[in-house]
Amino acid sequence: MSEPTDDKLPRDVHELLLSRNEEEGHSTMAQDVVTDARRPKREKFFSVPMIVILVSLALTAVGLGVIYASPVLSEQFSAMLSGDLGKYKEQLRKVREDKVREIESVTGNRYGSLSLFYSPRTARVTITEYKYKLDCSKSSGDDETLACLRKKVDYSQKPEILQVDNPSLKLKDKEVVEQIPLNDIPIKEASDDRKTLFVYDMTVVIEADGYYPRKFFLTGDKEHGRVEDGWESMFWEQKGPQIWMVDFRGADLLPKPETARENYKKALNDWECIKREIDTKRKGGKNVSEDTESGLFIEILNRNGFKTFEEFNAIDVELRKDDKFAKEFDATLKKVECK
């Protein structure tokens, strides 16, 4: 059997053979692949790991900047580095508790007690409360709130005013009031969130027909006394745990001259008789001391409604401004008949 010639090779085999040009091209490509495989591959600079590292460094720098910009964070970070973070947090907790206790102390409610007794017991008593506000609700943080709560109340603001009812305002004829007890008088109160303080003042005016009135101003602020003429300032003072009182010793109204005229005349008539008796004893050789004489005189004054020498002297001066009355009374006094 004869061998097939090139022209007679199967078509599929011929197609598998490469032409010279294709062979040369294939050879060149293979050399390039070998050359590239031997050359080290260049990595890109902004690869994913590098980006992660750069972002981490940037965040660290920002974080450190924030930490050192804040004194508190800076102290905490330093404590962490030194291994004292637990101790530092305990100190912060104690400081926080101390501030909370101080706020509670500054905003603690205060209430006072007072019993009003006076003469004449038919007098009218007007009691008025004035409520002032110290608003610290816009303060942020304990330090700022505490600084605000320590400020003085602005007394120039218009206060809330409350009239306090009492039995002296409802007396009928011949009725008297022994005393007026006042309990739980507000001196200082705080809101539930302890960011607003309410401070109270009180006035007490005691009046009676034919007498000079007495006016009292009660406050818990010793720098806030009332200086107007005729006002007596009294300050709430702590006398025990949750016990606040003022030094009120009663109020005897001073009678006006016309009101005291008859008592004045009777007191001097009684004293005229005592003086005559003392003079008689002295002339008889008995020693009556000046202290005894003064004691007898004040006893007569008290019996006729005068509490002190000063009160009697004030009435004496006013009545004797009427020359006619003074002359007529002195003449009558010399003729008084003693029993």
Side-chain angles (χ1 to χ4, degrees):
M1 178 179 293
S2 60
E3 295 180 1
T5 62
D6 291 341
D7 294 336
K8 295 182 179 180
L9 288 175
R11 181 176 179 82
D12 53 350
V13 174
H14 180 74
E15 291 176 351
L16 292 175
L17 298 178
L18 298 175
S19 65
R20 180 176 296 276
N21 292 335
E22 289 175 336
E23 288 179 356
E24 291 176 356
H26 180 72
S27 177
T28 302
M29 184 181 300
Q31 291 177 2
D32 291 340
V33 170
V34 173
T35 303
D36 291 342
R38 293 176 181 176
R39 183 183 303 162
K41 185 176 180 182
R42 296 184 61 185
E43 297 288 343
K44 294 182 179 180
F45 180 77
F46 291 106
S47 62
V48 173
M50 183 58 69
I51 292 174
V52 171
I53 292 173
L54 292 176
V55 170
S56 299
L57 290 175
L59 291 176
T60 300
V62 172
L64 290 174
V66 171
I67 289 173
Y68 285 107
S70 169
V72 175
L73 293 177
S74 178
E75 289 179 0
Q76 188 171 351
F77 185 66
S78 299
M80 182 182 68
L81 293 179
S82 63
D84 295 330
L85 183 58
K87 182 178 179 181
Y88 175 77
K89 288 186 176 181
E90 178 63 20
Q91 291 175 344
L92 286 182
R93 184 189 64 77
K94 188 176 183 304
V95 170
R96 165 67 177 165
E97 289 180 352
D98 290 344
K99 287 181 181 178
V100 170
R101 280 194 293 268
E102 192 169 358
I103 289 175
E104 290 176 350
S105 176
V106 172
T107 58
N109 294 339
R110 295 180 183 177
Y111 299 96
S113 297
L114 171 67
S115 290
L116 297 175
F117 52 96
Y118 48 86
S119 67
R121 290 179 296 171
T122 54
R124 298 179 302 278
V125 182
T126 303
I127 306 171
T128 308
E129 279 185 357
Y130 299 86
K131 181 179 179 181
Y132 297 89
K133 182 177 181 180
L134 177 61
D135 189 357
C136 299
S137 59
K138 295 182 180 179
S139 302
S140 59
D142 292 340
D143 290 335
E144 188 173 333
T145 300
L146 190 56
C148 177
L149 292 171
R150 285 172 174 166
K151 292 180 180 178
K152 287 288 186 182
V153 172
D154 180 11
Y155 293 107
S156 65
Q157 64 179 283
K158 186 177 180 180
E160 295 182 31
I161 300 176
L162 173 66
Q163 297 294 333
V164 179
D165 193 18
N166 69 86
S168 74
L169 302 176
K170 304 172 184 178
L171 289 180
K172 298 179 181 178
D173 290 343
K174 299 183 180 180
E175 286 186 338
V176 298
V177 173
E178 295 295 335
Q179 64 178 2
I180 301 176
L182 299 174
N183 299 313
D184 297 326
I185 302 172
I187 303 171
K188 182 179 70 174
E189 293 179 323
S191 59
D192 292 338
D193 62 1
R194 296 184 181 273
K195 286 196 171 185
T196 303
L197 277 181
F198 301 99
V199 178
Y200 295 81
D201 290 336
M202 174 181 282
T203 58
V204 176
V205 179
I206 305 174
E207 302 171 285
D209 294 339
Y211 293 80
Y212 294 107
R214 291 189 68 177
K215 299 183 286 186
F216 301 91
F217 178 72
L218 284 64
T219 180
D221 186 351
K222 291 190 175 181
E223 298 179 4
H224 181 51
R226 201 153 182 172
V227 297
E228 297 95 325
D229 290 341
W231 284 94
E232 303 174 51
S233 294
M234 309 185 76
F235 302 99
W236 293 105
E237 295 182 353
Q238 189 171 12
K239 301 298 183 179
Q242 301 301 319
I243 299 175
W244 295 82
M245 302 178 69
V246 294
D247 187 20
F248 182 78
R249 302 180 182 181
D252 296 320
L253 303 188
L254 179 65
K256 293 180 178 179
E258 288 304 315
T259 304
R261 182 189 292 266
E262 294 305 316
N263 283 2
Y264 171 83
K265 290 164 64 176
K266 188 174 186 308
L268 287 184
N269 283 337
D270 292 346
W271 179 238
E272 179 65 23
C273 293
I274 295 295
K275 278 179 62 180
R276 291 177 188 177
E277 185 177 346
I278 292 174
D279 290 341
T280 300
K281 289 182 177 180
R282 284 173 175 168
K283 287 178 182 179
K286 291 185 178 181
N287 181 27
V288 180
S289 67
E290 292 184 357
D291 289 341
T292 300
E293 186 176 358
S294 296
L296 291 171
F297 185 45
I298 190 63
E299 182 181 339
I300 290 174
L301 294 182
N302 292 161
R303 195 163 61 230
N304 287 278
F306 299 99
K307 303 297 181 184
T308 63
F309 286 117
E310 291 76 15
E311 181 180 326
F312 174 81
N313 290 335
I315 297 298
D316 180 71
V317 170
E318 291 297 320
L319 288 176
R320 289 186 175 278
K321 288 179 179 179
D322 184 346
D323 292 336
K324 181 179 179 181
F325 164 79
K327 290 178 180 180
E328 290 179 354
F329 177 68
D330 287 342
T332 303
L333 194 59
K334 292 177 181 179
K335 301 176 182 179
V336 65
E337 295 183 2
C338 300
K339 297 180 181 179

